[in-house]
């Protein structure tokens, strides 16, 4: 029987913006390798839960992804003007622009519109899940969640985007 690892939010004061190293790789060429090495931008409020952001990124790296960490939506938007990730994990509640405002901005820009976006948030009410999806999120996962499930969902949205890109 395998154990399921979950991530829980813990409150602690801190502020840090860390951008992970590594070059973007072409994930289309890596589908056969289960999408290893794809670059995932992870935006979450590290003021509220600094270990949460670190744990999510470490788990994604363990699953074979490269990560770039952002503790504010505005910093993520600026970085995406420089280089697009293969997918974005976006928390709803962040300082400055919240995740929904960032989502709206990303979906409104033709350059970032095709990038798969997964909302990962403590906002678990049906109205919040529906709003996130209706605003353009490709998937929505609520905290706490299994890191194995998170990695599988990231792979699924990237795979779906690769299929759409190949077909169009």
């Amino acid at each position: 029987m395998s154990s399921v690892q979950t991530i829980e939010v813990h409150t602690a004061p801190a502020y840090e913006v860390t951008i992970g190293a590594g070059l973007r790789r072409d994930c289309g060429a890596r589908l056969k390798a289960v999408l290893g090495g794809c670059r995932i931008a992870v935006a979450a409020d590290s003021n509220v839960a600094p270990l949460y952001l670190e744990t999510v990124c470490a788990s994604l790296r363990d699953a074979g992804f490269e990560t770039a960490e952002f503790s504010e939506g505005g910093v993520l938007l600026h970085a995406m003007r420089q280089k697009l990730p293969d997918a974005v994990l976006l928390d709803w509640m962040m300082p400055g622009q919240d995740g929904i405002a960032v989502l709206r901005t990303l979906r409104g820009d033709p350059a970032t519109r095709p990038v798969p976006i997964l909302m990962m948030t403590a906002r678990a009410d049906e109205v919040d899940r529906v709003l996130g999806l209706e605003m353009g999120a490709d998937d929505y996962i609520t905290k706490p969640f299994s890191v194995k499930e998170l990695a599988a969902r990231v792979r699924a949205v990237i795979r779906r985007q690769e299929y759409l890109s190949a077909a169009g």
Side-chain angles (χ1 to χ4, degrees):
M1 185 162 127
S2 66
S3 64
V4 175
Q5 187 179 16
T6 60
I7 298 173
E8 296 182 9
V9 176
H10 302 280
T11 303
Y15 178 78
E16 181 177 11
V17 174
T18 306
I19 299 176
L23 299 174
R24 180 168 188 247
R25 296 183 187 169
D26 177 12
C27 284
R30 295 180 160 271
L31 277 174
K32 292 180 184 175
V34 196
L35 301 168
C38 291
R39 187 167 179 266
I40 311 303
V42 182
D45 185 359
S46 66
N47 291 323
V48 174
L51 293 178
Y52 172 77
L53 183 58
E54 291 177 27
T55 302
V56 168
C57 289
S59 298
L60 289 170
R61 285 191 299 271
D62 288 347
F65 297 103
E66 294 177 12
T67 62
E69 303 171 20
F70 304 92
S71 62
E72 291 186 9
V75 178
L76 168 68
L77 292 172
H78 177 74
M80 287 185 67
R81 288 197 256 325
Q82 310 304 313
K83 177 177 268 188
L84 292 178
D86 297 297
V88 174
L89 286 175
L90 187 58
D91 198 348
W92 188 311
M93 296 172 281
M94 293 186 291
Q97 288 184 312
D98 67 19
I100 291 295
V102 172
L103 177 61
R104 206 176 292 132
T105 300
L106 293 173
R107 289 302 184 226
D109 181 346
T112 58
R113 190 173 297 136
V115 176
I117 300 171
L118 295 88
M119 296 294 295
M120 56 172 191
T121 179
R123 296 183 70 147
D125 290 342
E126 179 185 31
V127 67
D128 294 326
R129 292 190 314 265
V130 170
L131 179 61
L133 293 166
E134 291 292 334
M135 293 303 298
D138 296 290
D139 202 353
Y140 193 104
I141 187 167
T142 58
K143 301 173 192 174
F145 49 78
S146 156
V147 294
K148 289 181 180 179
E149 180 183 2
L150 178 64
R153 287 175 180 265
V154 170
R155 283 187 197 98
V157 297
I158 293 172
R159 189 172 49 242
R160 219 173 9 250
Q161 182 59 35
E162 290 295 326
Y163 294 151
L164 291 171
S165 295

